[in-house]
Amino acid sequence: MSNNIYLKKGLNIPIEGKAALNTRKVIAPDIIAVKPSDFRGLVPKLLVKEGEKVLAGTPVMADKMAQDILFASPVSGEVVEVVRGEKRKLLEIRIKADSTQEYVDFGVRKPSELNADGVRKALLESGLWPALVQRPYGVIANPQIKPKAIFVSAFSTAPLAADIEFALRDEFADIQAAINALNKLTDGGIHVSFDARTYSGTPFHKLENIIPHTFSGPHPAGNVGVQIHHISPIRKGETVWTVSMVMLAAIGKLFRTGKYDVRRKIAITGPRAVEPAYVSCVPGMAMKEFAWFYSEPEKLRFISGDALSGTSVGKDGFLGFYDNQVTILKEGNDYEMFGWAKPFRTSQFSSSRTYFSWLTPKKVYDMDTNLHGGPRAFVVSDVYGKVLPMNLFPVYLVKACLAGDIEKMEKYGIYEVLPEDFALCEYVCPSKINIQSIIEDGISLMLKEMA
Amino acid sequence: MNGLRKLVDKVKPTFEKGGKLGFLHSTFDAFETFLFVPNTVTTKGAHIRDCVDLKRVMIMVVISLVPAMLFGIWNTGYQHSLAYGLDWGFWPIVGYGLVKVIPLYLVSYIVGLAIEFTSAQLRGHEVNEGYLVSGMLIPLIVPVDVPLWMLAIAVAFAVIFGKECFGGTGMNIWNPALLTRAFLFFSYPSKMSGDTVWVGGLGAGENAWCGGPVADAFSGATPLANPTMAGLADHGYSLLNMFLGTVPGSVGETSVIAILLGAIILLGTGVASWKIMLSSVIGGLAVGYLGYACGATDLPGYYQLVMGGFLFGTVFMATDPVTSAQTECGKWIYGFLVGALAVTVRIWNPGYAEGMMLAILLMNTFAPLIDHCVISCSISRRAKKVKVAK
């Protein structure tokens, strides 16, 4: 393709534990959880009671602000526990799955025969609407509006990310059906971004009714936010939607089979995963279910998602709604003698040339969760821009977020970013500043003030 | 190794909140983290982090200053020996240099770190590594004979009013080391300028060290005091002398070779910005040749690079990431203006022989403005582009 977008800035993190391209097990769900915390800014409304029977596709909660947005149970079974936190905040709806799965029948529909309202209704009633994420802010899409366009990233560059081609290779027809359906919801078309290196080899380049783009470059070239920035930047007042390939497959299945079927192949990865590989399971799966992938769970961190912007869920936690990857890391709560003063420190990776890991570009590292230093003020100014392939001034945006200055946040581009786009800035920061959570707070402030 | 860890763990409770020496928490923490990378894990955001931290960055700057420091020690002794016609060998020269330079370092670090530790303690922060660099720089940019009490006051002023008042390392507007020098320069001009302050022992009149009189041919003036071809020749300063650094001047600023070694380390490790260094050199050369062309000086532009503190300032002071421009485009502008202004002061202002310090401090002041303009331009340019694309 001629209009390849070449991104120079960024960093591929050489962490060990890439999943081998085989499916080690199909996990029959036991107890799974539906978690409101998977959705940014969601105020949930509970729709089921403990002891109630549900089918796969039965709504279990709704968005209190827009009650037609439903969230469905991924399995059929019985609601065994509703977990609440402080101030009765809803944390998890735990559902014990039956041995045979039954699905709510939403009816097979041909996307080509539906209009926009039909597509919208099908997605809302089935609980698949939350698959659509709105920019700015990364919240669930508002069904009332028509987005400028819909963006899909057909590859991921995040550390150890699941290989989309492998994970979804049997679901081409589903994805095509989903694209046909979503095309009804926007006039701007569906922009799908491919990895330039594998574009001609991937089956997905045959998808129709899309506007294809190719990107090349290190992480975060696969982040949909970065892609939008280069394809069609979001200006104030505009909204675009994003959806992942994994969710497209689920949407396609809804139209082709009439079922809410979110089963997917997920990659179990990370330096502490034993023989990392793929498993087939539903979102909400408990970390305990793949116990043969690890030992000594007390010393480990379980991340639903990738090591940069995933969520730490703990050994008793559950896989997130959008995620198709689990990363297992060692908790780095030990002291390292003379760490920073060692001339070489070859067991650690650094993108900085003050160490020498740039001499061994092929090496992969057993990374842990140690912070490798103490928190400081911003000192070094040029490291952040080198890993952010966006025409923004990261430090200025972060400082505007810290100051809570909405006017400046707008000016510096808060509409175009999500915390995940700043994950690498946070990774390389020698001052150990929690940049992602600062951006998250900034977005929360915007949501509050702009509501 | 484990023994040391056990020892630290044993005394740690004493320094923690509620412990007997709890008020020294920051101090203890500073020493502990000096020996051990702490066991803190990530709690928010990215679960894995790069192993580089500010300690590593700062130590690289300190290492890059070592060649200039070593040469400064030697040159201090060498200039003294030259001034008194002593014909010393290598070791007496180094010995004299050490006797002169070590007290400067002691004062710089003891006063500066004491203030840093105290203020970290008061605020309950961790001690920031920034002063390790400032403390290393300060003795290299003052005349070797500066009275120690003056240096102590200047360091205290720079650290308290130049840095801690703004919130510590990372928040300061001006380079603390240069602020120290500026304080000395304006408060005690007699110890900071003239022909007698740049060579150890000369300021005291008759030499108390060895008893000999000053050698006839020796003036003690720096090359910048007589910035003409004839003036340099009169004092026997050739381009080679100035390149090697065997001329009088502030302790660490004279040797181009030693500074270039430092520059290689800084650029190789990516700690300092090559854009600032390059554009400052370009700025210096441009104005240097402009002055040469219009007859304001008979020294070709490249002389400006090797004389005085130009290169030292360019490599080590202008590139301070906190006080320089932060945007990539701003760095070009900032560096160019540092170099250009420094040479402008040298050539056209008869009041000041050296302009580097003032040029950098002035541009430190304006760096935020440069960044502001660069960012505003970039944002409005992008807004226009998006509109056109629509």
Side-chain angles (χ1 to χ4, degrees), chain A residues 58 75 210-211 244 305 321 345 354 378 389 391 404 420 445 447:
Chain A
T58 306
V75 294
I210 60 166
I211 306 166
S244 66
F321 178 74
R345 211 182 185 189
T354 55
F378 279 109
N391 205 345
E420 60 179 34
L445 180 72
L447 280 170

Side-chain angles (χ1 to χ4, degrees), chain A residues 67-370:
Chain A
Q67 298 203 6
D68 48 350
I69 299 179
L70 301 173
F71 301 84
S73 165
V75 294
S76 68
E78 183 188 336
V79 179
V80 285
E81 196 182 357
V82 174
V83 184
R84 290 183 183 273
E86 265 175 56
K87 296 185 186 166
R88 291 185 40 80
K89 186 180 171 196
L90 180 61
L91 297 180
E92 285 165 8
I93 302 166
R94 293 195 185 171
I95 301 164
K96 184 160 173 54
D98 297 334
S99 49
T100 52
Q101 291 295 301
E102 288 173 62
Y103 295 87
V104 178
D105 183 19
F106 293 104
V108 178
R109 276 171 277 203
K110 267 219 165 101
S112 53
E113 288 160 13
L114 292 173
N115 59 9
D117 275 336
V119 172
R120 200 175 293 132
K121 191 168 155 278
L123 292 176
L124 283 169
E125 68 178 11
S126 66
L128 274 174
W129 186 265
L132 301 173
V133 176
Q134 170 184 313
R135 298 282 180 124
Y137 312 139
V139 294
I140 296 172
N142 178 356
Q144 313 294 337
I145 57 171
K146 200 166 210 181
K148 186 172 86 164
I150 296 176
F151 291 86
V152 182
S153 173
F155 68 109
S156 175
T157 46
L160 306 176
D163 181 340
I164 289 180
E165 213 177 298
F166 170 77
L168 296 175
R169 66 177 165 197
D170 302 329
E171 316 205 28
F172 181 89
D174 294 326
I175 291 171
Q176 182 64 65
I179 283 170
N180 295 345
L182 293 182
N183 248 321
K184 312 266 177 178
L185 297 181
T186 175
D187 295 332
I190 298 183
H191 296 261
V192 182
S193 305
F194 295 95
D195 186 343
R197 285 166 303 173
T198 58
Y199 177 67
S200 52
T202 175
F204 297 115
H205 83 273
K206 297 202 186 93
L207 285 172
E208 287 166 7
N209 301 330
I210 60 166
I211 306 166
H213 303 272
T214 59
F215 281 82
S216 50
H219 185 57
N223 278 15
V224 69
V226 172
Q227 295 164 356
I228 298 172
H229 181 88
H230 289 280
I231 296 168
S232 168
I234 306 166
R235 287 180 302 169
K236 188 179 179 177
E238 288 178 341
T239 12
V240 302
W241 291 350
T242 67
V243 56
S244 66
M245 291 291 270
V246 173
M247 297 315 297
L248 278 180
I251 292 172
K253 270 181 231 164
L254 172 73
F255 287 102
R256 294 181 71 226
T257 65
K259 288 178 186 167
Y260 178 85
D261 181 2
V262 285
R263 179 167 278 277
R264 58 184 74 147
K265 275 191 199 131
I266 69 158
I268 311 284
T269 63
R272 289 301 146 117
V274 183
E275 293 182 42
Y278 289 75
V279 297
S280 165
C281 70
V282 293
M285 170 198 74
M287 296 293 139
K288 286 180 209 148
E289 307 254 0
F290 55 96
W292 65 91
F293 274 108
Y294 58 80
S295 53
E296 295 189 282
E298 320 61 60
K299 293 184 184 161
L300 302 178
R301 179 176 294 193
F302 294 86
I303 300 159
S304 172
D306 66 78
L308 283 180
S309 40
T311 318
S312 169
V313 293
K315 64 184 162 62
D316 300 319
F318 302 89
L319 182 70
F321 178 74
Y322 299 104
D323 297 326
N324 66 341
Q325 180 187 8
V326 170
T327 309
I328 307 174
L329 295 172
K330 179 173 111 50
E331 286 286 4
N333 50 0
D334 43 5
Y335 294 92
E336 187 190 354
M337 184 142 168
F338 299 130
W340 62 274
K342 284 183 200 160
F344 297 108
R345 211 182 185 189
T346 46
S347 61
Q348 308 267 4
F349 172 74
S350 175
S351 64
S352 156
R353 294 217 163 190
T354 55
Y355 290 104
F356 299 94
S357 35
W358 56 277
L359 292 171
T360 50
K362 293 254 163 75
K363 192 173 168 185
V364 288
Y365 298 81
D366 173 10
M367 298 185 182
D368 61 28
T369 63
N370 193 290

Side-chain angles (χ1 to χ4, degrees), chain A residues 29-51:
Chain A
D30 180 31
I31 289 184
I32 64 97
V34 177
K35 297 178 290 176
S37 59
D38 290 344
F39 309 95
R40 181 175 282 110
L42 174 70
V43 185
K45 180 172 186 267
L46 190 64
L47 299 179
V48 289
K49 286 196 212 73
E50 282 180 20

Side-chain angles (χ1 to χ4, degrees), chain B residues 148-380:
Chain B
L148 296 178
W149 65 269
M150 286 182 194
L151 185 66
I153 293 176
V155 166
F157 170 83
V159 176
I160 294 174
F161 292 100
K163 197 156 135 187
E164 296 310 328
C165 277
F166 289 98
T169 302
M171 315 285 189
N172 45 315
I173 299 178
W174 298 291
N175 185 315
L178 272 182
L179 214 54
T180 305
R181 195 179 195 280
F183 183 87
L184 288 170
F185 186 81
F186 290 110
S187 308
Y188 309 106
S190 65
K191 299 289 178 189
M192 292 296 290
S193 48
D195 287 351
T196 56
V197 304
W198 306 105
V199 175
L202 215 57
E206 288 299 301
N207 182 16
W209 188 262
C210 292
V214 176
D216 284 342
F218 195 85
S219 82
T222 69
L224 277 174
N226 306 283
T228 57
M229 277 297 186
L232 290 179
D234 264 1
H235 292 85
Y237 300 142
S238 66
L239 195 62
L240 183 67
N241 280 154
M242 293 190 286
F243 193 76
L244 294 175
T246 55
V247 293
S250 297
V251 175
E253 73 177 15
T254 56
S255 170
V256 173
I257 295 177
I259 294 166
L260 286 181
L261 278 178
I264 290 170
I265 296 175
L266 285 181
L267 295 178
T269 55
V271 169
S273 163
W274 61 271
K275 291 174 188 163
I276 293 177
M277 285 191 203
L278 180 63
S279 60
S280 170
V281 167
I282 294 173
L285 282 177
V287 176
Y289 274 108
L290 187 72
Y292 182 63
C294 61
T297 170
D298 65 347
L299 294 174
Y302 60 87
Y303 268 75
Q304 304 293 350
L305 303 188
V306 297
M307 291 194 302
F310 184 91
L311 210 59
F312 192 88
T314 294
V315 171
F316 297 112
M317 321 288 282
T319 53
D320 172 3
V322 175
T323 55
S324 64
Q326 318 253 316
T327 52
E328 297 309 303
C329 177
K331 281 174 186 165
W332 287 108
I333 303 170
Y334 165 90
F336 183 86
L337 288 175
V338 164
L341 279 174
V343 177
T344 307
V345 172
R346 280 185 186 179
I347 295 181
W348 280 286
N349 187 335
Y352 296 116
E354 171 63 300
M356 202 55 189
M357 171 183 83
L358 295 174
I360 297 176
L361 284 175
L362 185 71
M363 290 320 296
N364 281 171
T365 315
F366 282 108
L369 185 67
I370 296 174
D371 284 334
H372 177 80
C373 295
V374 167
I375 292 176
S376 303
C377 286
S378 160
I379 287 174
S380 63

